[in-house]
Amino acid sequence: TEDGWYKYTTQDVKTLENANDLKNALLLMGYTHSFITPYKNGERLTIVESVEQELSVFFDLNSAIVVKDELEKINYYFRNFSANKANSITLEGHCCYLGATNYNYALSKRRVFAVEKEVKVFTNATIIPKFFGETTPKYDNSKESSRRLNRRVDVRINK
């Protein structure tokens, strides 16, 4: 830095996209040497390790359509990290709490099958589908900004 001091910021970001958004915001503020350092359970990881461990595919409200940005994320993920290492792949479907329980369960199932269709392009690994509906939120359901993160399918590579 100009004055010999380094400046740090920490933030609990949930996705690689959120981390990149933070980095870009810092760059726009004039911090030209910003970088991302991922940690899990207090241990430093490489970016590749942090991305390999889990992929979340997000959905719009009441939708099981994999939108373009999420398709690109699936394509990037499987081309660069995991397809050739997978013995099986677990797909876990989730919803936010809006809507009836039965509807959300069925929606989580449709979301899993939509992601499965895209994943099968890259691998012959066994797909293990799991449907949770609204029962296991990972994020706070009280605000839309975090509730939307519960509308997802988590992709886990089993090696």
Side-chain angles (χ1 to χ4, degrees):
T1 65
E2 299 144 10
D3 58 5
W5 290 91
Y6 289 95
K7 297 169 179 74
Y8 296 90
T9 184
T10 60
Q11 198 165 12
D12 185 18
V13 296
K14 305 299 183 195
T15 66
L16 182 59
E17 292 85 11
N18 294 141
N20 280 323
D21 289 345
L22 174 61
K23 180 179 176 180
N24 290 332
L26 291 170
L27 288 169
L28 288 172
M29 292 168 58
Y31 297 101
T32 58
H33 300 289
S34 65
F35 55 91
I36 301 168
T37 306
Y39 285 82
K40 184 170 185 175
N41 299 326
E43 304 224 359
R44 187 172 177 173
L45 304 173
T46 67
I47 292 291
V48 171
E49 289 170 325
S50 69
V51 172
E52 274 191 321
Q53 290 187 357
E54 182 178 314
L55 169 70
S56 292
V57 179
F58 296 99
F59 291 85
D60 292 332
L61 181 65
N62 295 327
S63 176
I65 296 170
V66 182
V67 297
K68 182 182 177 198
D69 288 349
E70 298 301 304
L71 278 174
E72 290 174 2
K73 188 164 57 172
I74 292 169
N75 292 340
Y76 182 82
Y77 182 76
F78 279 92
R79 276 196 212 121
N80 291 290
F81 300 115
S82 300
N84 58 358
K85 301 176 191 174
N87 289 328
S88 64
I89 299 170
T90 303
L91 301 177
E92 298 179 351
H94 301 276
C95 297
C96 67
Y97 78 103
L98 300 175
T101 301
N102 289 342
Y103 174 83
N104 285 338
Y105 178 81
L107 180 57
S108 70
K109 195 173 187 177
R110 290 195 315 274
R111 287 175 174 170
V112 165
F113 292 141
V115 172
E116 178 181 31
K117 177 183 169 194
E118 302 304 329
V119 166
K120 283 188 170 187
V121 171
F122 298 100
T123 182
N124 292 324
T126 302
I127 304 292
I128 303 167
K130 295 184 178 184
F131 321 112
F132 295 98
E134 66 197 48
T135 63
T136 56
K138 188 174 182 180
Y139 304 100
D140 180 11
N141 264 319
S142 68
K143 297 181 292 185
E144 176 57 25
S145 60
S146 55
R147 180 172 49 240
R148 67 182 179 78
L149 298 173
N150 286 322
R151 302 175 194 134
R152 70 184 192 286
V153 170
D154 291 330
V155 179
R156 291 198 170 69
I157 303 301
N158 308 309
K159 298 178 184 181

